[in-house]
Amino acid sequence: MLEIGKRGGVGQRDVWEAADALLLTGFRPTVERIRGQIGRGSPNTVGPHLDSWFKALGSRIQDPAAFCASPGAPDAVTQAARTFWEAALTAARQACTDELTQDREALAQEAASIEKERADLAGQRIRLADAAETQQTLIDTLKTQVEDARASLNATAAERVSLIASHERQIVQLHVERETLEGRLGAADEKLVALQNELSAVKSGCDRDIKEALLRFDQARSEARVAQNALAELRQHASAQETALASLTKQLAAAEAEQKIAIKAKVSLENAVAAEKAEALEVKSKVQTLETDLRQAEAVEATLQAALDAERSRAGELALLLGNSQGEIVQALRSLEQSNKDSPAGLDPRRRTTKRKRGIPMR
């Protein structure tokens, strides 16, 4: 028996009828759809009745009479009930199939989400483990630093006590030095008076020096003006030089282009030089052969020169002997001529003619 709702309320029958109607139209019964179908009812009231409808749906599908008309109903009502049952059965099957597909998709998505969450949790667990290890390392480091700081603090405290004692000794020494300095200060006051007198004298001299320095400053200012004019001229000259530099830069670019051409020419020249070097090596080999021949010729020439020198020496000796012989002959002729002059026959012209014909020179 279906429970009928109280007056103004929603009962189990209302919910079941609305669910059957939604199922016949091809929609899955939900709390919101049933509330929209009925037009009233809270989720807390509709929800339990809908759950009982889903629980009874299987048994109602297995019992065709659950959706059939009563035995005393007219044929039209029976036929309508049968049609209603078949349509409800088809719709229920389709709804179950769609719901099963949706549930499978939802389960697949949920499984993927769970797997992702599991991976995230694993990564988070690893990060937490790393963080815990890092924290533990940091804690160990901080403990070490605290112990070091404590030891350093103890050493600092001991050093501070030592410094305080040293400062107290220094204070006593400073008192002694203060008394000594007070005595020196009295002497310094006297010296200060003397120095003030000297300062007055020096000040008067400084005034004179300042006046002279002002005069020199005016002169330097005039010279500075001249220097500024010269600087302006130098700037103009520098501008001209910059213009010339720009021109030289262009010329340098052209020279670089020419240098590239020269490099190509140099490569060609180097190739030619290499060929010439090969020829030079060949010529050098020939020159070495000629030098060998020349040395041999020089050796022969030296031998001939030695022989020639020997012949020249002999010729010199022969010339010397010939000169001596000629001197003796001339001396003999002179003696003969002198003797002819001294003899009476020497006055005969015919004798002189005879001598001339014979080739004897006449004196």
Side-chain angles (χ1 to χ4, degrees), residues 224-246:
R225 290 175 183 173
V226 175
Q228 286 178 354
N229 295 329
L231 180 60
E233 294 178 358
L234 287 174
R235 285 177 179 173
Q236 293 177 356
H237 182 63
S239 178
Q241 286 184 348
E242 287 179 356
T243 304
L245 181 60

Side-chain angles (χ1 to χ4, degrees), residues 3 69 224 229 239 260 268 280 303 351 359:
E3 295 181 359
N229 295 329
S239 178
K260 291 180 180 178
S268 301
T303 304
R351 301 280 297 181

Side-chain angles (χ1 to χ4, degrees), residues 72-94:
D75 294 337
V77 174
T78 303
Q79 186 65 31
R82 186 179 293 108
T83 303
F84 173 76
W85 166 251
E86 291 176 355
L89 187 61
T90 302
R93 289 188 185 131
Q94 185 64 35

Side-chain angles (χ1 to χ4, degrees), residues 168-195:
E168 289 177 353
R169 290 193 298 270
Q170 290 178 0
I171 289 170
V172 174
Q173 185 177 0
L174 288 174
H175 283 299
V176 175
E177 292 179 357
R178 180 181 178 182
E179 293 177 356
T180 304
L181 290 174
E182 286 178 353
R184 293 180 181 178
L185 183 61
D189 290 335
E190 296 177 357
K191 290 182 180 180
L192 180 61
V193 174
L195 289 173

Side-chain angles (χ1 to χ4, degrees), residues 113-182:
S113 177
I114 290 171
E115 187 65 26
K116 183 179 179 182
E117 289 179 358
R118 184 181 296 169
D120 294 340
L121 287 173
Q124 188 175 3
R125 186 179 300 159
I126 293 171
R127 289 193 297 272
L128 289 174
D130 294 339
E133 185 177 357
T134 304
Q135 291 291 334
Q136 185 63 37
T137 304
L138 182 60
I139 289 170
D140 295 338
T141 304
L142 290 175
K143 286 181 179 179
T144 304
Q145 291 179 355
V146 168
E147 292 176 356
D148 294 340
R150 186 176 296 168
S152 177
L153 183 61
N154 294 330
T156 303
E159 185 178 358
R160 183 176 180 183
V161 172
S162 177
L163 287 174
I164 290 172
S166 177
H167 287 166
E168 289 177 353
R169 290 193 298 270
Q170 290 178 0
I171 289 170
V172 174
Q173 185 177 0
L174 288 174
H175 283 299
V176 175
E177 292 179 357
R178 180 181 178 182
E179 293 177 356
T180 304
L181 290 174
E182 286 178 353

